[in-house]
Amino acid sequence: MMNSQIQRLTTPKPYSLLGRPSSLTQIGFSTSVLPLQFQRQCNNYPQNQKKHAMRSTGSNNNGNVKALFTPSKTEKTVAVKGTITVTLPVIGGSFSINDLLGRSFLLELVSSELDPNTGEEKPTVKDYALKVSQSLTEAKFVCNFKVPVGFGEVGAIIVENQHLRELFFKEIVLQGLPDGSLTVTCESWVHSKHANPNDRVFFTNKSYLTDETPAGLKRLRAQELANLRGNGTGERKLTDRIYDYDKYNDLGYPDSSNPRPILGGQDLPYPRRCRTGRAPTKTDPNSEKRSLIMYVPRDESFSAVKTVGFGVNILSNVFNSLLPTLETALVDPSLGFPLFTHIDTLFDEGVNIPKPKDNPGFLKSVLPNLIDTVQNGVDDRVLFDTPEMMDRDKFSWFRDEEFSRQTLAGLNPLSIQLVTEWPLRSGLDPAIYGPAESAITTELIEKEIKGVMTVEEALQQKKLFILDYHDVFMPYVNKIRELDNTTMYASRTLFFLTEDSILRPVAIELVRPPSGDKPQWKQVFTPSFDATGCWLWRLAKAHVTAHDSGYHQLISHWLRTHCCVEPYIIASNRQLSAMHPIYRLLYPHFRYTMEINALARLQLINADGVIESTFSPGKYSMEISAVVYGQSWRFDTEALPADLIRRGMAVEDPTAKHGLKLTIEDYPFANDGLLLWDIIKEWVSDYVNHYYQDPSKVKSDSELQAWWTEIRTKGHEDKKDESWWPVLNTPEDLIQILTTIIWVPSGHHAAVNFGQYTFGGYFPNRPTITRKNMPTEDATEEELRNFLKRPEDALLQSYPSQIQATKVMSVLNALSTHSTDEEYLGETPEPSWVANPVIYAAYERFNARLRELEGVIDGRNADLELANRSGAGIVPYELLKPFSESGVTGKGVPNSISI
């Protein structure tokens, strides 16, 4: 899909045959001196375009003639040279006859000042750009402006692209201005005027609060925002740059009897996604037709260069090429792994798959780290890298200590919470779901902790912790059990904190609600020393890890990062001008997220997509994420310190570092995360305090206030009336809001994303699905005999099937991969920050503190006293190390959710 989308956007439409062979000579060119491709283009060039090319004028938005600026004979001018750098399309990187005629782009310099005599905007200074050089990746164009001496400071450049296709503008450099050269960073697609008559505006790198906008730029600033907001109607074209909101009403296929509920609204509250304006389905007028090409505003998609090598291209190839090929090779969708040694062959021998007939080398070229060529040359094979966890200790996944450690330093360290009430009770209606009391009793816990203290003492000393997936999954247990090849329980897993800050699992409770004439079923499993108890415990752990895998992927990962960040992106582009300092602060943290989210809607979270086909909740996956959003998501607790306090993992303590005292001292995610949070907050504080030296300007900044209002009332519309939304009246309020928004796509996302292959690549450690009930639940005599005879078979049969496992492993490998051009937190400053000495100095301090954090994390991982992050065979906790090389490294914090 991605490659075809690129080709559609970059390949020019063929000209109609309106010209004559002699047309080149008619406009002053000899065909003998032109390359053959240009002769063909010119001979096919429409007559109306030739006439336009011979004029020395262009068209404005109203279709009127737009004359080039000509100073009067007495007016003094300054010669200013403009150099435009354009990144060439990956496909078809040549230019049309317009380049040879000097009509490629029309540029207009806009003064920041009004005319003192008229009080109106000064006339712009214009010139056409002429191409002067071209390499394989870039082309350079030059304009020569005659700028009046009294023109004033250039505040913006207007661009009209006269090509028949869009092009990616990298930067425009003006030389010869009275105050020296000026670089305007573009990094944006510029549409063809034939597709959209509105010109593009690029403001300079100087930032302005709303009420500080130079008078000559106020109209342009407002107009550009209006263009970005659009009018809320019509289907969006791929070249559009329009940001608007819609519900998640495009995940199912109602017309083919495979619908999904609409996420967003009173029944299922949910964040909003970007509006595409596609037509409704025939069956359900409230659902939107799906398309293989998913609209995102043009600048949210990858640039021409990044599209080739960026991680999303790898992910797209996994979805579009590898997964269908795997399904072809592994015909039986329910076939499991008969032995654990067969699982090992995925890393030693791989899975043979047929080579694509039309392009036999394609898979290896696009997925070199996964695809190997079989010696016989007939097939390819998917050969998985050994995950670091398995490489260090092949049997670590089997141990209870590792099972517990990963709740603090694994892939989902955001679910563990302190037990604050006893006995454990469900909040669900017992008339529907059965007795609310947990089967985990005081006597059982005190027996398992060997009488070292009472449960009451353990609660007082904050020694009991829980993974509680009881109430979130219980309403769906019976529904999920009706699906093929999967099962589900509600679960609680209890841990005891030892004196050396290590969690030890003491009990797992699995519960099934009443079903038909069957009453509620529940059973508690504990670590045992007898053979039968040991295998039941292992099976119970498999169910819990599958629950944790589903919750991690649907809530900790998708909902709390990808999904909830998209409204921030939309609101920022609709309400904050590109010249607003807060827009420029946030911009690096939004890059490419909407593109990734669109790809997820297309093939990951859609009906029968990867999530539904490989995770236990199946078709109810996204509905469950909406239920959790409605019940428990709050913006204020997305801040790391507040999240830790909410879960009982920390308490406020003004005397402690970070102002918090951790309940578990050796909690790697929290230890490293709080340092990173503080570093981000210090950078944001320096930035905000520079631009809002007058605190009252926060409340009076109309763009800023509109931005925050829209996030609350449109982006998260279903929670607009909640009392917990922070107010935005002071710089301190703004700092907290911005730090939270930046933390989510950087630190939070890195912590739950880039360890996916490390911890999930060997799926017995984190199965995404369990397919068999516990043998103690309504088992037949034959099932019990088989379990007692070969308990290993019961565990293997519970694990994902071969196709489910290989699909998940392929996707996790792609999601865990850093691209070669990843943009890491604090690594490269934005041009507008470099242009401001105060901001640039603050950014240098930000970078230095991140470099220090790298050393701190290395030191912690070398400290054998910190058993949750170091020791024999332990994967060191590096997920919050700021920087990384490319590949599956298990470290590195990118600026944004770019994979």
Side-chain angles (χ1 to χ4, degrees):
M1 184 276 294
M2 196 64 64
N3 288 336
S4 63
Q5 183 171 332
I6 299 168
Q7 188 164 7
R8 175 179 170 183
L9 294 174
T10 55
T11 303
K13 298 178 181 178
Y15 298 124
S16 58
L17 299 176
L18 299 177
R20 297 178 179 178
S22 60
S23 59
L24 281 171
T25 56
Q26 290 176 0
I27 55 176
F29 281 91
S30 169
T31 57
S32 62
V33 299
L34 292 175
L36 181 60
Q37 61 178 352
F38 284 120
Q39 293 182 41
R40 289 171 177 168
Q41 276 190 317
C42 293
N43 290 338
N44 293 334
Y45 201 69
Q47 294 293 328
N48 61 334
Q49 293 296 321
K50 289 189 294 181
K51 292 177 182 178
H52 176 78
M54 288 186 286
R55 293 200 304 259
S56 61
T57 60
S59 299
N60 64 14
N61 295 349
N62 300 317
N64 299 322
V65 171
K66 184 191 297 183
L68 294 177
F69 173 80
T70 305
S72 65
K73 294 182 180 180
T74 59
E75 189 171 12
K76 293 184 178 179
T77 61
V78 176
V80 174
K81 178 182 177 182
T83 304
I84 306 101
T85 303
V86 172
T87 301
L88 294 180
V90 177
I91 302 171
S94 61
F95 290 93
S96 69
I97 187 64
N98 271 1
D99 301 302
L100 300 175
L101 301 174
R103 296 289 191 272
S104 51
F105 311 111
L106 176 63
L107 271 66
E108 305 180 42
L109 306 185
V110 181
S111 174
S112 296
E113 304 172 0
L114 295 178
D115 188 318
N117 297 321
T118 65
E120 298 179 354
E121 295 176 12
K122 293 182 177 180
T124 59
V125 179
K126 311 173 187 179
D127 192 31
Y128 284 102
L130 179 66
K131 189 177 74 172
V132 294
S133 67
Q134 180 174 329
S135 67
L136 291 175
T137 58
E138 289 184 347
K140 290 191 181 294
F141 296 77
V142 167
C143 291
N144 292 290
F145 302 100
K146 294 182 178 180
V147 181
V149 172
F151 186 73
E153 183 178 353
V154 175
I157 301 176
I158 299 174
V159 178
E160 180 187 84
N161 176 11
Q162 297 188 358
H163 286 276
L164 295 180
R165 62 183 174 187
E166 62 177 0
L167 289 169
F168 191 83
F169 271 45
K170 186 175 181 180
E171 66 179 15
I172 302 171
V173 179
L174 301 179
Q175 295 173 303
L177 293 168
D179 294 331
S181 64
L182 173 68
T183 298
V184 178
T185 305
C186 303
E187 293 293 332
S188 175
W189 292 96
V190 177
H191 57 261
S192 165
K193 77 167 192 175
H194 306 284
N196 183 344
N198 293 322
D199 296 334
R200 275 302 309 275
V201 177
F202 292 107
F203 296 105
T204 65
N205 295 339
K206 187 177 289 188
S207 299
Y208 298 98
L209 298 180
T210 311
D211 63 356
E212 296 173 354
T213 310
L217 303 177
K218 287 183 177 180
R219 181 189 61 82
L220 273 182
R221 181 169 183 157
Q223 183 60 53
E224 180 68 1
L225 283 175
N227 290 340
L228 290 168
R229 286 192 285 266
N231 60 13
T233 64
E235 182 173 356
R236 300 272 61 86
K237 301 189 298 291
L238 290 179
T239 54
D240 285 345
R241 296 170 59 246
I242 295 177
Y243 296 78
D244 206 352
Y245 301 96
D246 208 344
K247 298 175 181 177
Y248 280 75
N249 61 354
D250 63 342
L251 301 181
Y253 306 86
D255 292 341
S256 59
S257 301
N258 198 8
R260 291 296 179 269
I262 294 171
L263 307 185
Q266 185 176 359
D267 294 337
L268 286 171
Y270 216 57
R272 298 302 191 257
R273 51 95 171 172
C274 181
R275 179 186 178 277
T276 66
R278 288 172 296 182
T281 61
K282 296 178 182 178
T283 307
D284 180 7
N286 294 316
S287 293
E288 192 175 75
K289 284 184 179 178
R290 290 178 57 79
S291 170
L292 293 177
I293 298 176
M294 194 79 76
Y295 166 79
V296 295
R298 193 64 186 99
D299 284 341
E300 302 301 330
S301 60
F302 290 91
S303 70
V305 173
K306 285 186 178 295
T307 307
V308 175
F310 211 74
V312 70
N313 200 42
I314 297 175
L315 187 60
S316 180
N317 287 325
V318 167
F319 285 147
N320 294 319
S321 302
L322 179 57
L323 298 191
T325 307
L326 282 171
E327 289 174 341
T328 301
L330 303 172
V331 179
D332 185 351
S334 62
L335 180 64
F337 292 87
L339 299 168
F340 276 94
T341 52
H342 281 67
I343 300 174
D344 294 340
T345 62
L346 296 174
F347 311 104
D348 301 329
E349 301 174 15
V351 178
N352 285 3
I353 57 175
K355 289 184 178 181
K357 294 181 180 179
D358 55 342
N359 192 353
F362 173 70
L363 283 176
K364 184 168 177 59
S365 67
V366 297
L367 298 165
N369 63 322
L370 287 182
I371 303 299
D372 191 19
T373 302
V374 177
Q375 290 182 352
N376 60 22
V378 175
D379 296 327
D380 285 331
R381 63 181 174 183
V382 182
L383 187 63
F384 293 98
D385 293 329
T386 303
E388 185 181 3
M389 179 185 167
M390 292 298 296
D391 196 42
R392 286 174 174 263
D393 184 350
K394 185 175 181 178
F395 301 104
S396 60
W397 68 277
F398 219 51
R399 298 197 313 270
D400 287 350
E401 295 85 353
E402 182 64 14
F403 170 65
S404 299
R405 190 189 74 84
Q406 288 184 29
T407 66
L408 301 171
L411 188 53
N412 185 28
L414 291 100
S415 285
I416 189 74
Q417 56 185 313
L418 179 70
V419 176
T420 57
E421 295 181 0
W422 194 265
L424 301 173
R425 288 180 58 87
S426 169
L428 300 174
D429 185 352
I432 300 175
Y433 300 105
E437 295 78 14
S438 170
I440 303 177
T441 63
T442 298
E443 294 74 22
L444 185 148
I445 295 302
E446 290 179 351
K447 176 185 176 182
E448 289 300 317
I449 63 177
K450 311 304 180 186
V452 296
M453 61 180 67
T454 66
V455 167
E456 183 177 352
E457 289 170 335
L459 291 170
Q460 291 173 350
Q461 297 179 36
K462 299 183 177 180
K463 295 289 188 179
L464 291 179
F465 296 82
I466 191 171
L467 285 179
D468 191 350
Y469 297 131
H470 186 279
D471 286 9
V472 66
F473 287 135
M474 180 70 97
Y476 290 90
V477 168
N478 287 334
K479 295 179 182 179
I480 291 170
R481 285 182 169 217
E482 293 176 357
L483 305 176
D484 293 334
N485 214 24
T486 186
T487 191
M488 177 57 76
Y489 291 100
S491 68
R492 298 183 179 100
T493 306
L494 209 64
F495 302 86
F496 179 75
L497 184 66
T498 65
E499 291 300 321
D500 49 4
S501 201
I502 293 175
L503 288 177
R504 185 165 69 84
V506 294
I508 292 174
E509 179 183 29
L510 300 179
V511 187
R512 182 208 66 204
S515 176
D517 59 352
K518 296 179 181 179
Q520 183 194 72
W521 178 90
K522 66 178 67 170
Q523 187 172 349
V524 177
F525 303 89
T526 59
S528 301
F529 294 98
D530 68 280
T532 301
C534 280
W535 276 104
L536 288 174
W537 172 249
R538 289 163 184 161
L539 283 165
K541 283 199 301 181
H543 283 280
V544 168
T545 51
H547 300 165
D548 191 63
S549 292
Y551 194 90
H552 157 261
Q553 204 65 268
L554 293 171
I555 311 302
S556 302
H557 186 194
W558 164 256
L559 173 67
R560 292 181 61 183
T561 65
H562 289 257
C563 185
C564 285
V565 165
E566 185 154 341
Y568 309 152
I569 303 172
I570 299 172
S572 297
N573 283 278
R574 285 169 57 87
Q575 299 298 342
L576 295 177
S577 168
M579 67 170 68
H580 199 292
I582 300 306
Y583 178 88
R584 284 175 163 158
L585 174 67
L586 291 174
Y587 174 74
H589 306 289
F590 294 159
R591 286 181 178 129
Y592 313 127
T593 301
M594 292 179 74
E595 174 101 340
I596 290 292
N597 288 1
L599 184 58
R601 298 206 321 275
L602 195 63
Q603 293 173 307
L604 191 65
I605 63 174
N606 60 303
D608 296 330
V610 173
I611 294 294
E612 288 195 1
S613 63
T614 59
F615 282 76
S616 288
K619 63 185 282 187
Y620 300 102
S621 295
M622 293 304 292
E623 184 177 333
I624 289 172
S625 76
V627 170
V628 173
Y629 172 80
Q631 292 177 349
S632 61
W633 185 89
R634 298 172 47 146
F635 177 87
D636 57 337
T637 56
E638 289 304 286
L640 176 60
D643 175 66
L644 294 171
I645 292 170
R646 176 184 63 84
R647 293 188 282 119
M649 303 304 291
V651 293
E652 291 187 77
D653 183 353
T655 66
K657 193 173 184 180
H658 317 293
L660 294 179
K661 178 177 174 57
L662 291 177
T663 310
I664 300 177
E665 293 182 6
D666 183 12
Y667 184 4
F669 164 71
N671 295 131
D672 297 355
L674 286 171
L675 278 175
L676 182 58
W677 170 273
D678 283 354
I679 292 169
I680 294 171
K681 189 170 185 177
E682 182 180 286
W683 153 241
V684 172
S685 299
D686 288 343
Y687 192 96
V688 168
N689 289 330
H690 172 72
Y691 283 104
Y692 291 95
Q693 296 179 32
D694 179 355
S696 66
K697 284 187 174 293
V698 170
K699 197 170 184 178
S700 64
D701 190 330
S702 58
E703 283 186 6
L704 187 70
Q705 292 297 327
W707 165 76
W708 183 234
T709 297
E710 187 159 299
I711 285 175
R712 294 181 288 112
T713 62
K714 290 190 176 182
H716 288 272
E717 180 179 345
D718 301 326
K719 289 186 175 268
K720 64 179 183 297
D721 297 323
E722 298 286 356
S723 60
W724 41 254
W725 282 105
V727 297
L728 180 53
N729 293 329
T730 67
E732 290 72 26
D733 298 335
L734 181 57
I735 289 166
Q736 181 68 14
I737 289 169
L738 292 173
T739 304
T740 301
I741 290 176
I742 292 172
W743 160 256
V744 171
S746 59
H748 180 153
H749 182 259
V752 299
N753 183 74
F754 291 104
Q756 290 193 83
Y757 194 73
T758 298
F759 293 106
Y762 184 72
F763 65 85
N765 181 59
R766 287 185 66 82
T768 58
I769 193 170
T770 42
R771 300 188 294 150
K772 297 291 183 181
N773 295 339
M774 292 292 292
T776 53
E777 183 206 343
D778 303 331
T780 65
E781 290 187 8
E782 182 181 1
E783 288 171 334
L784 283 174
R785 281 198 305 270
N786 290 337
F787 167 66
L788 294 173
K789 183 178 180 180
R790 281 190 56 84
E792 180 181 325
D793 288 349
L795 187 58
L796 286 166
Q797 290 165 10
S798 292
Y799 283 153
S801 67
Q802 291 188 29
I803 183 59
Q804 288 172 329
T806 51
K807 284 172 67 174
V808 168
M809 291 166 68
S810 302
V811 172
L812 295 187
N813 182 279
L815 292 175
S816 302
T817 300
H818 288 290
S819 69
T820 54
D821 50 4
E822 189 75 88
E823 298 174 355
Y824 295 100
L825 189 67
E827 186 176 47
T828 305
E830 290 297 297
S832 62
W833 305 342
V834 177
N836 186 314
V838 175
I839 296 301
Y840 186 56
Y843 189 83
E844 290 286 278
R845 292 193 297 272
F846 179 47
N847 176 273
R849 290 201 66 191
L850 290 169
R851 299 289 178 185
E852 291 173 4
L853 176 58
E854 293 237 308
V856 171
I857 292 174
D858 286 340
R860 287 173 172 175
N861 287 332
D863 185 352
L864 292 178
E865 296 296 317
L866 301 176
N868 288 325
R869 65 189 307 150
S870 64
I874 295 294
V875 176
Y877 191 75
E878 297 184 313
L879 290 172
L880 293 176
K881 283 190 73 171
F883 308 107
S884 173
E885 59 273 16
S886 61
V888 181
T889 64
K891 60 183 176 181
V893 181
N895 276 321
S896 62
I897 303 167
S898 57
I899 187 64

